[in-house]
Amino acid sequence: MLPWKRVLRPLAALLLTAAAVTAPATTAQATAQAAGAPSSGWNDYSCKPSAAHPRPVVLVHGTLGNSVDNWLGLAPYLKVRGYCVFSLDYGQLEGVPFFHGLGPVEKSAGQLKDFVDKVLAATGAAETDVVGHSQGGMLPRYYLRFLGGAAKVNALVGIAPSNHGTTLNGFTNLLPYFPGAEDLLAKNTPALADQVAGSDFLDRLNAGGDTVPGVRYTVIATKYDQVVTPWRSQYLSGPDVRNVLLQDLCPADLSEHVAIGLFDRIAFHEVANALDPARARPTTCASAFD
């Protein structure tokens, strides 16, 4: 007999998320303002890229994240290493403060396009590098392929990206057995529906290949990912692609989907290598103290 409580719990959480985030917001005003609070040392539009790091870095948060909380670890890590660092909010839903990345991915990619143009205009750079976590590592690929981003992006680094969607350990296969569940996701939280493996959006995104010419791609995955599953679905195929498993760099690293993007300095070290391959240094367990 199937362990039904174990099977249904993640699915119920997925559906509850779709319903809850569209309910009237009751979050305190201070919380609502948090996503727009000034970041510490990044989003400085007076920053001019250096000769050592000539491209600004744009950080793209994941589903239910925002431009601040997703990057409290990585943004300062890159900033202290001499990068001009910027982060945006995207995928906002009306009446839902703080938790973003829920709108249609196609529309969110348009927000990224506008933000990159703003960063390039402010910094005077010709190109940017993009680093994204989860959905934020996948949606820039729509910008690159369909919105002209390939001419403005040198490298895309995806941290646990949902490049080919997720099965949530097989739980999304149960959606058809719950009448109205798929419609609930698509209507209330389009980004969740877009990221289900086999979605129409992902079919369009990945048709004809994973990459576009002229962009370097890096994927950093963890085998302990419990959100974007199977974890190998995060990998890309094509020219100028480097797929990295965190545990190949440090077998002792137990980071899962959230930790790899929020505070894993071993993953951060590999991000820095991807941004500046000419100065790359081996990433090991000791990189946690770098």
Side-chain angles (χ1 to χ4, degrees):
M1 180 179 294
L2 286 173
W4 287 107
K5 288 185 178 179
R6 182 181 177 187
V7 170
L8 295 178
R9 190 177 295 117
L11 181 61
L14 182 69
L15 299 178
L16 286 171
T17 297
V21 298
T22 54
T26 58
T27 308
Q29 185 176 1
T31 302
Q33 292 173 342
S39 51
S40 300
W42 75 96
N43 280 339
D44 175 6
Y45 286 90
S46 67
C47 185
K48 299 300 179 184
S50 65
H53 302 303
R55 292 176 299 274
V57 177
V58 171
L59 303 177
V60 189
H61 65 74
T63 308
L64 294 173
N66 62 58
S67 62
V68 176
D69 68 2
N70 210 141
W71 305 120
L72 291 173
L74 182 58
Y77 183 94
L78 295 176
K79 185 68 179 176
V80 77
R81 284 159 178 77
Y83 289 91
C84 292
V85 182
F86 301 86
S87 61
L88 77 155
D89 287 307
Y90 72 86
Q92 301 93 329
L93 294 181
E94 185 178 356
V96 183
F98 193 69
F99 300 105
H100 303 319
L102 293 166
V105 178
E106 182 175 344
K107 181 178 178 181
S108 296
Q111 293 177 274
L112 174 60
K113 175 183 183 297
D114 293 341
F115 188 78
V116 168
D117 287 346
K118 178 181 177 181
V119 167
L120 293 180
T123 60
E127 288 184 309
T128 186
D129 291 325
V130 176
V131 180
H133 178 218
S134 193
Q135 180 189 169
M138 173 273 293
L139 84 82
R141 294 178 50 228
Y142 190 95
Y143 165 52
L144 298 178
R145 182 178 292 276
F146 299 112
L147 302 179
K152 300 177 181 180
V153 175
N154 168 72
L156 170 61
V157 183
I159 305 171
S162 53
N163 280 321
H164 297 96
T166 180
T167 67
L168 281 177
N169 287 310
F171 298 124
T172 59
N173 296 329
L174 297 176
L175 285 171
Y177 297 99
F178 291 80
E182 292 173 297
D183 290 340
L184 176 65
L185 285 181
K187 179 180 178 181
N188 287 356
T189 53
L192 295 181
D194 285 344
Q195 291 178 89
V196 172
S199 71
D200 290 343
F201 171 81
L202 289 169
D203 285 347
R204 285 187 287 115
L205 175 64
N206 294 315
D210 292 345
T211 64
V212 297
V215 180
R216 291 188 295 105
Y217 296 83
T218 302
V219 172
I220 304 171
T222 171
K223 68 180 181 181
Y224 299 113
D225 200 310
Q226 81 286 26
V227 175
V228 179
T229 61
W231 63 263
R232 289 181 180 85
S233 70
Q234 301 172 23
Y235 282 178
L236 296 172
S237 299
D240 295 319
V241 170
R242 183 167 184 259
N243 294 310
V244 180
L245 180 64
L246 196 59
Q247 285 70 36
D248 286 342
L249 306 175
C250 176
D253 195 318
L254 302 179
S255 288
E256 38 65 68
H257 184 78
V258 175
I260 191 177
L262 264 60
F263 53 77
D264 192 314
R265 290 178 68 90
I266 297 171
F268 294 174
H269 190 275
E270 195 60 20
V271 169
N273 281 347
L275 294 176
D276 192 0
R279 297 180 177 87
R281 295 178 292 113
T283 302
T284 67
C285 294
S287 300
F289 307 100
D290 190 357

